[in-house]
Amino acid sequence: MDNFAALSGGILRNIVATKSSAENPPSAKPPAKPQARSSLFVGSTEKAFQVLEAFNGQHRHMSMAEIARNAELDRSATQRLVYTLEKLGYLRRIPDSLRYGLSSKVLRLSYHYLRSSDLIERASPYLLDISRSLGETANLHELDGHEVVFLARFPGRHLVNIDFAVGYRLPAVFTASGRAILSKLDDAQRRAVIAATPLRPVTADTETDPQVLLSLVQEAAHKGYSLAMNQTMAGDIAVAAAITDDQGLPVGAINVSVPTTRWTVEKAQDQLVAHVLLAATSISKSR
Amino acid sequence: MDNFAALSGGILRNIVATKSSAENPPSAKPPAKPQARSSLFVGSTEKAFQVLEAFNGQHRHMSMAEIARNAELDRSATQRLVYTLEKLGYLRRIPDSLRYGLSSKVLRLSYHYLRSSDLIERASPYLLDISRSLGETANLHELDGHEVVFLARFPGRHLVNIDFAVGYRLPAVFTASGRAILSKLDDAQRRAVIAATPLRPVTADTETDPQVLLSLVQEAAHKGYSLAMNQTMAGDIAVAAAITDDQGLPVGAINVSVPTTRWTVEKAQDQLVAHVLLAATSISKSR
């Protein structure tokens, strides 16, 4: 891992930070403990987030014992932190029960994050335009460690299900957006992200061979875009291009996601690639 | 405030919890310190959230000194918590600077909260239907203390600006949704929420007289819906109705929000009230 020492910049710092949790499945577990504990590190803060992150969808309302188990904390620490987080308003007691759930106060931080994002502000008009002119869903992603995070989603006119995608994470190398972002990084950085990724397939078609994944990123670098089918959702074709800063470094990616019921790879290449490339280039220049 | 002792249920607990921060402007400040400190209360957890909440939109990227000032913490505590939150991935160092910002990891908690919300799941089909059939924006709100929180927003076809409303808060008594929710609470509870609200006008037309606000809630109770014009945004008419549980207690509200450029109060009463009432009733029964 010594090659990390020579690297710099925000994304890389995140990759380094992620290395320590490479053995954890994405989004499922509290953060792994930092390897070198500085005296500056406040352990109880980490535990507080382990408690909050234990409420992860599969676990919506939990008793104290369930929280302790899922947060991997002892009963005493759990009791103190649940008490504190309830007092602060981030957890709430479910009426007429001994169980707890997240409260709407957790939305404050995401609200502030999304509101303050330059990238969302710059990309939104282009994403809206794509979503309207094509009638398909356009997404904005950011790299965080070895994952891409959904920052915004503009549903097309075929919208059937409502989903709240913002904040959702996927292993970057499994996604068109992630491969497009990685294509703007150098070889060592690409390999570092692949090495940090738990290579468990998401669908029956997810490509998990590190060498093949690296070659798909290289292909994206060559073509300027990336296309992925059935990699993180069966029946989905995604076409993505990276958004870059003034030094050519990636700050995110946009994709258009279409269903295989109405689209083929050939049709996506013919009709989507030009839109996505133009939008990504325009957003990159819009700063 | 002794009448609180007789009250029960989630919303009331929140109202009680909010009382201590009544002097703070909504959404602007870290939570006020709980009045009675239990030995269970972990003070550093509160400080960690003071640091995160200091990044509140006006303050996007901050130096250590700015964080300390806005979080109202000393330099030493700030340094330890910023270090810890950066290690945990919730804050990130802005490249080539000594400033920090929120990282996309804060989106995880909101993602889990929104995904786990029964109310959103139940209300979404009705909100989507309203937004499509009327071509106007439909919103879902929840009461938290003296504020309503946006849980979901379905933009109508006239959408011009992109906004990320989820997580946004407004004083409940200033909004049609908040008045509709309060109309399902008893008189003491209504008064408690009004007493907890900092009565600073949001627009030139915001009603801030506590007696008038109480009578507007009473009117909503009588009519079954609430209509507000220009109260939190100039040029906006909102019509709202409460969603209730099996005991008739409010769990949230839906509203339809329309611009005064295309709508009048009379037209809103004629054409929106029936939709909003039907949807609210259907969602209430859908559990």
Side-chain angles (χ1 to χ4, degrees):
Chain A
M1 266 186 267
D2 275 354
N3 57 334
F4 282 120
L7 303 171
S8 66
I11 288 169
L12 264 291
R13 192 198 50 253
N14 290 340
I15 294 170
V16 176
T18 305
K19 288 291 289 180
S20 63
S21 64
E23 66 279 11
N24 287 331
S27 313
K29 284 284 164 192
K33 302 203 192 309
Q35 284 145 341
R37 275 293 170 89
S38 156
S39 63
L40 287 170
F41 192 83
V42 184
S44 65
T45 298
E46 179 176 37
K47 290 178 184 161
F49 281 100
Q50 282 174 243
V51 167
L52 288 176
E53 299 247 1
F55 292 85
N56 62 4
Q58 298 127 58
H59 306 101
R60 205 175 126 233
H61 297 157
M62 289 191 282
S63 68
M64 203 69 89
E66 289 166 325
I67 297 169
R69 189 165 57 244
N70 288 302
E72 297 177 14
L73 293 173
D74 64 44
R75 289 289 297 246
S76 153
T78 304
Q79 194 190 6
R80 282 183 287 118
L81 290 163
V82 168
Y83 174 86
T84 305
L85 290 166
E86 190 197 1
K87 279 278 177 214
L88 295 175
Y90 296 98
L91 287 182
R92 67 196 175 93
R93 178 90 155 267
I94 308 305
D96 307 321
S97 85
L98 292 172
R99 300 196 298 163
Y100 295 83
L102 293 175
S103 100
S104 60
K105 197 167 175 184
V106 302
L107 300 179
R108 277 187 189 210
L109 296 175
S110 62
Y111 178 74
H112 292 148
Y113 178 74
L114 295 172
R115 280 272 160 175
S116 71
S117 166
D118 259 354
L119 183 59
I120 297 176
E121 196 179 347
R122 283 160 46 208
S124 289
Y126 297 95
L127 290 162
L128 178 63
D129 185 56
I130 284 188
S131 134
R132 284 187 166 175
S133 62
L134 296 170
E136 301 290 353
T137 300
N139 298 295
L140 179 66
H141 289 103
E142 187 172 75
L143 187 68
D144 183 29
H146 66 280
E147 297 176 318
V148 286
V149 185
F150 278 74
L151 295 189
R153 185 181 191 92
F154 293 76
R157 67 171 161 267
H158 300 280
L159 177 70
V160 180
N161 292 307
I162 305 306
D163 67 345
F164 294 90
V166 171
Y168 187 60
R169 287 163 176 264
L170 287 165
V173 286
F174 294 168
T175 68
S177 283
R179 292 172 191 165
I181 292 170
L182 296 184
S183 78
K184 301 292 181 183
L185 295 175
D186 67 28
D187 187 63
Q189 295 168 319
R190 294 171 189 172
R191 288 174 191 271
V193 171
I194 293 171
T197 304
L199 296 169
R200 277 186 295 278
V202 179
T203 71
D205 293 331
T206 307
E207 177 59 59
T208 57
D209 182 310
Q211 284 308 316
V212 178
L213 290 168
L214 188 61
S215 72
L216 288 166
V217 173
Q218 287 160 347
E219 188 188 321
H222 181 66
K223 291 185 173 172
Y225 70 91
S226 178
L227 186 148
M229 182 165 78
N230 300 337
Q231 294 297 290
T232 54
M233 199 200 308
D236 178 74
I237 299 171
V239 177
I243 300 164
T244 51
D245 67 13
D246 54 3
Q247 295 169 352
L249 291 170
V251 294
I254 57 166
N255 83 10
V256 177
S257 164
V258 296
T260 51
T261 49
R262 282 184 281 104
W263 289 78
T264 61
V265 167
E266 293 67 34
K267 187 177 161 193
Q269 267 161 341
D270 279 357
Q271 297 180 26
L272 299 181
V273 170
H275 282 279
V276 172
L277 280 176
L278 178 62
T281 308
S282 304
I283 299 164
S284 299
K285 287 181 182 159
S286 69
R287 57 175 178 277
Chain B
M1 267 186 267
D2 276 353
N3 57 334
F4 281 119
L7 305 171
S8 67
I11 287 169
L12 264 292
R13 192 198 49 255
N14 289 341
I15 293 169
V16 177
T18 304
K19 290 290 289 180
S20 64
S21 64
E23 65 279 12
N24 286 332
S27 313
K29 284 284 160 191
K33 304 206 190 307
Q35 283 145 341
R37 276 290 171 89
S38 155
S39 63
L40 287 171
F41 191 83
V42 183
S44 64
T45 298
E46 179 176 37
K47 289 178 186 162
F49 282 99
Q50 283 174 243
V51 166
L52 288 176
E53 300 247 0
F55 292 86
N56 62 3
Q58 297 128 58
H59 306 99
R60 206 174 126 233
H61 296 158
M62 289 190 282
S63 68
M64 203 68 90
E66 289 167 326
I67 297 170
R69 189 164 57 244
N70 288 302
E72 297 177 13
L73 293 172
D74 63 43
R75 289 289 296 247
S76 152
T78 305
Q79 193 190 6
R80 281 184 287 116
L81 289 162
V82 167
Y83 175 86
T84 305
L85 291 166
E86 190 196 0
K87 279 277 177 215
L88 295 174
Y90 296 97
L91 288 183
R92 64 193 177 94
R93 178 91 156 266
I94 308 305
D96 307 321
S97 86
L98 293 172
R99 300 197 297 162
Y100 296 83
L102 294 174
S103 101
S104 59
K105 196 167 176 184
V106 301
L107 300 179
R108 277 188 188 208
L109 296 175
S110 61
Y111 178 76
H112 292 146
Y113 178 74
L114 295 171
R115 280 271 161 175
S116 71
S117 166
D118 259 353
L119 184 59
I120 296 176
E121 196 178 350
R122 283 159 49 211
S124 290
Y126 297 95
L127 290 162
L128 179 63
D129 185 56
I130 285 188
S131 134
R132 284 187 166 176
S133 63
L134 296 171
E136 301 290 353
T137 301
N139 298 295
L140 178 65
H141 289 104
E142 187 173 73
L143 188 67
D144 183 30
H146 66 278
E147 296 176 317
V148 286
V149 185
F150 277 77
L151 295 189
R153 185 182 192 92
F154 292 77
R157 67 173 161 266
H158 300 281
L159 177 69
V160 179
N161 292 307
I162 305 306
D163 66 345
F164 294 89
V166 170
Y168 187 60
R169 289 164 174 262
L170 287 166
V173 285
F174 295 168
T175 67
S177 283
R179 292 172 192 166
I181 293 171
L182 296 184
S183 78
K184 301 292 182 183
L185 296 175
D186 68 28
D187 187 63
Q189 296 168 319
R190 295 171 189 171
R191 289 175 191 272
V193 171
I194 293 170
T197 304
L199 296 169
R200 277 187 294 279
V202 180
T203 71
D205 292 332
T206 306
E207 177 59 61
T208 57
D209 182 309
Q211 284 307 316
V212 177
L213 291 168
L214 189 61
S215 72
L216 289 167
V217 173
Q218 287 161 348
E219 188 189 321
H222 181 66
K223 291 186 174 172
Y225 71 90
S226 178
L227 185 149
M229 183 165 78
N230 300 338
Q231 294 296 291
T232 53
M233 199 200 307
D236 178 74
I237 299 172
V239 176
I243 301 164
T244 52
D245 66 14
D246 54 4
Q247 294 168 353
L249 291 170
V251 294
I254 57 166
N255 84 10
V256 176
S257 164
V258 295
T260 51
T261 49
R262 281 184 281 105
W263 290 77
T264 62
V265 167
E266 293 67 33
K267 186 177 161 194
Q269 268 160 341
D270 280 356
Q271 297 180 27
L272 299 180
V273 169
H275 282 278
V276 172
L277 280 175
L278 178 62
T281 307
S282 304
I283 299 164
S284 299
K285 287 180 181 159
S286 69
R287 56 177 178 276

